[in-house]
Amino acid sequence: MSDDRLKHYRESIDNIDAALVFMLAERFKITQAVGRYKAETGLPAADPGREVRQIERLRALANDANLDADFTEKFLRFIIEEVIRHHEGMQTG
Amino acid sequence: MSDDRLKHYRESIDNIDAALVFMLAERFKITQAVGRYKAETGLPAADPGREVRQIERLRALANDANLDADFTEKFLRFIIEEVIRHHEGMQTG
């Protein structure tokens, strides 16, 4: 690609994507620790009230950031589904 | 929630989620600029080779971060779908 302006944009997108990947890796480290801790202490795995509060908070943050709130909610649900998949793996593996 | 350790974990998750939201907002600002730039200069909207390279790069970064590569690819496709939705909105709106 010889277009300098496009190259410049794409470098920024690639930087952000790398940051997102490492941020997600850190997030899953914490949710895995939460899963272990809940299993050890006998706390229930699911907490529907917590999820509702997370979604409300992220929708408000999305508005601040001029990001589509519905997309942001879908994004959080997408990540939470992966967290549940991890926890199921912990129980069976 | 009176459990201090769980509260501590959840504060970290909430911090990371806020960072993810603001990072995503920045990413969409750039992809919207790319969309406008491509429209102005007559560059094609889609670039399949670019997408293949992005996926390969993110899968390699996922391995470095001990993150599931398939999940990371799904994550990138999820974001790219939203970018396409934005670009379609630009063309019709």
Side-chain angles (χ1 to χ4, degrees):
Chain A
M1 176 58 60
S2 58
D3 188 304
D4 278 346
R5 191 157 152 196
L6 190 57
K7 185 169 176 286
H8 176 84
Y9 284 139
R10 287 179 167 177
E11 282 167 358
S12 293
I13 291 168
D14 287 346
N15 286 343
I16 290 172
D17 284 347
L20 288 169
V21 163
F22 288 107
M23 206 80 94
L24 281 173
E26 192 57 28
R27 194 188 193 283
F28 287 124
K29 277 181 65 179
I30 302 170
T31 50
Q32 278 164 2
V34 168
R36 278 193 301 273
Y37 180 62
K38 284 182 168 179
E40 282 163 21
T41 54
L43 284 167
D47 184 344
R50 159 76 174 157
E51 195 173 318
V52 169
R53 288 189 300 275
Q54 278 176 291
I55 287 168
E56 275 173 13
R57 175 177 175 270
L58 274 211
R59 290 185 69 99
L61 283 177
N63 282 331
D64 290 346
N66 204 19
L67 193 66
D68 186 284
D70 291 338
F71 167 77
T72 305
E73 178 171 343
K74 251 171 60 188
F75 172 78
L76 182 64
R77 290 187 189 279
F78 177 82
I79 293 174
I80 290 175
E81 271 170 39
E82 181 71 6
V83 170
I84 292 167
R85 211 178 62 76
H86 287 180
H87 288 178
E88 285 168 354
M90 282 165 70
Q91 280 156 9
T92 56
Chain B
M1 178 55 62
S2 60
D3 188 305
D4 278 348
R5 191 156 151 197
L6 190 57
K7 185 169 177 283
H8 177 85
Y9 284 139
R10 287 179 168 178
E11 282 167 0
S12 293
I13 292 168
D14 287 346
N15 286 343
I16 291 172
D17 283 348
L20 288 169
V21 163
F22 288 107
M23 207 81 94
L24 280 173
E26 192 58 30
R27 193 188 194 282
F28 288 124
K29 277 180 66 178
I30 302 170
T31 51
Q32 278 164 2
V34 169
R36 279 193 301 272
Y37 179 62
K38 283 182 167 178
E40 282 162 21
T41 54
L43 284 167
D47 184 344
R50 159 75 175 156
E51 195 172 317
V52 168
R53 287 190 301 276
Q54 278 176 291
I55 287 168
E56 275 172 13
R57 175 177 174 271
L58 275 211
R59 290 186 69 100
L61 284 177
N63 283 330
D64 290 346
N66 204 19
L67 192 66
D68 187 282
D70 290 338
F71 166 77
T72 306
E73 179 172 342
K74 251 171 61 189
F75 171 78
L76 182 64
R77 290 188 190 280
F78 178 82
I79 293 174
I80 290 175
E81 271 171 39
E82 181 70 8
V83 170
I84 292 167
R85 210 177 63 76
H86 288 179
H87 287 178
E88 285 168 354
M90 282 166 71
Q91 281 158 9
T92 56

